[in-house]
Amino acid sequence: MKLSRNVLLLTALMLAGLGALARSDDAGEVKEKAFDAPNKVRIKVRMEGPYTADVPLQVVCYFKYTPEGAKKMSGAPVELDKRLGGVIASLRERGEFVGDQLEMLLITPPRDSIKAKALLLVGLGDEDALSLKLMEAVGTVSLREAARLGISRVAFAPLIRDQGNTKLGTGDVETAVVRGMLLAYDTQKRLQREGLSKEFTLDEWNVEAGPTYFDETVRGIQQAIEEAGKNIKERSTEPYSKGK
C-alpha cells in the first residue's frame, strides 16, 4: 500500500511537471525578434496576428473599399473582422470608412473580441497608388495618433498581402513605416524638450509578420533603424521657436 501511494505521488508530480512544460511552451509560442532603436524605442517583430496582440493600440491598414477588393481579402483581416462581429466590413460597405489615403478611424473593440484595447484603421487609398512614400506617412500618422492618445505600446500590421496586393516587398514596406514612425517620434521628443508638446513616451512598437515574411520583415526593420538613426543625427539642433 505504501508503495502504491509513492507511485501515485510520483505520477502526480510527473503530470504536474508536464503540465507546467506545456504552459511554458504555450507562453513562448509567439516567435519574436527585438531591436533597440533611436530615442530608446524597443521594436519587436512578432509572428502573430492583429487579433491576438495584447497591446493598448493595434494599427491596421486598408485599401479604398471596392466590392472586388473585399472578395480578394483573406487571412488576418478576415479573422480580425470575424472576431469583431463584422464591424469593419459594415463600416466599409456603408461608406463610413472608405479607406482614402491616411483616413483614420479609432474603434473600441467589443468585449472578449480581440486582445487590443483600441483598434486604429488607417486608409491606403487606391491600390494602384500604393507607394513607399505613402507607407512612411502611415508610420508618421500612426505614431502621432499614439502620441495624441498617450499610448506607449503599439502593434502594427499593414495587411497588404492579405488584401491581395504584391506591389511592394514586405521588408520595404516595414522599412518605410518604421522609418516614418521613428522620425515622427524624434520630432515629438524634440518638441517636448522645448515645452511645445505634452509628455509622451513610446516604449514599444510591435510589427506583426506571418511565417513566410518574418525574416524579410526583420531585415526591413534593421534597415529602418539604421536609416532613421542617420537621419536623426543629421537633423538641426536649433530650437524650433526663434522667439523669446
Side-chain angles (χ1 to χ4, degrees):
M1 190 62 141
K2 184 175 180 182
L3 179 61
S4 178
R5 283 201 204 94
N6 289 339
V7 170
L8 287 172
L9 179 60
L10 180 60
T11 302
L13 289 171
M14 288 176 66
L15 289 173
L18 289 172
L21 180 60
R23 286 192 298 273
S24 176
D25 288 344
D26 289 343
E29 198 171 296
V30 177
K31 180 180 178 180
E32 70 173 39
K33 194 169 182 66
F35 302 93
D36 292 323
N39 289 302
K40 299 180 180 179
V41 177
R42 188 76 165 163
I43 299 179
K44 292 182 180 179
V45 182
R46 290 175 59 83
M47 196 182 290
E48 65 179 348
Y51 40 85
T52 59
D54 191 0
V55 291
L57 178 65
Q58 171 71 56
V59 183
V60 290
C61 304
Y62 289 90
F63 289 111
K64 190 171 183 177
Y65 176 78
T66 65
E68 296 75 20
K71 291 176 184 177
K72 291 193 300 181
M73 200 170 292
S74 64
V78 174
E79 181 63 25
L80 172 64
D81 204 28
K82 179 181 177 182
R83 298 195 186 199
L84 291 169
V87 171
I88 299 173
S90 294
L91 287 164
R92 287 168 64 71
E93 289 167 5
R94 297 176 190 181
E96 295 174 38
F97 176 76
V98 177
D100 287 323
Q101 281 195 7
L102 304 183
E103 177 186 0
M104 292 192 292
L105 182 63
L106 186 67
I107 296 173
T108 300
R111 189 171 181 177
D112 299 324
S113 57
I114 64 175
K115 290 186 177 181
K117 305 301 183 294
L119 179 67
L120 179 65
L121 312 183
V122 181
L124 299 177
D126 295 324
E127 283 197 57
D128 292 341
L130 181 66
S131 68
L132 293 177
K133 183 177 180 181
L134 171 63
M135 295 314 300
E136 184 163 349
V138 168
T140 298
V141 299
S142 299
L143 182 281
R144 288 177 179 167
E145 183 65 7
R148 185 184 72 82
L149 297 168
I151 292 176
S152 62
R153 290 179 57 244
V154 180
F156 179 87
L159 303 183
I160 291 174
R161 286 289 189 271
D162 298 299
Q163 294 176 73
N165 190 289
T166 59
K167 182 179 179 180
L168 302 175
T170 303
D172 295 335
V173 167
E174 288 305 338
T175 297
V177 172
V178 172
R179 182 176 59 234
M181 177 274 292
L182 289 173
L183 293 178
Y185 183 53
D186 182 67
T187 298
Q188 287 293 137
K189 299 306 287 183
R190 289 170 185 249
L191 287 169
Q192 287 176 39
R193 287 195 288 270
E194 294 184 34
L196 298 170
S197 178
K198 69 177 183 180
E199 286 297 317
F200 166 68
T201 298
L202 179 68
D203 294 323
E204 191 173 286
W205 181 274
N206 293 335
V207 178
E208 294 153 352
T212 305
Y213 305 107
F214 188 87
D215 292 338
E216 186 179 348
T217 300
V218 165
R219 290 192 292 270
I221 300 301
Q222 290 173 312
Q223 184 175 342
I225 292 172
E226 182 181 344
E227 291 178 3
K230 182 179 178 181
N231 190 303
I232 288 170
K233 288 179 180 178
E234 293 173 352
R235 282 183 161 184
S236 171
T237 56
E238 291 294 314
Y240 292 114
S241 175
K242 300 299 190 294
K244 292 183 180 180

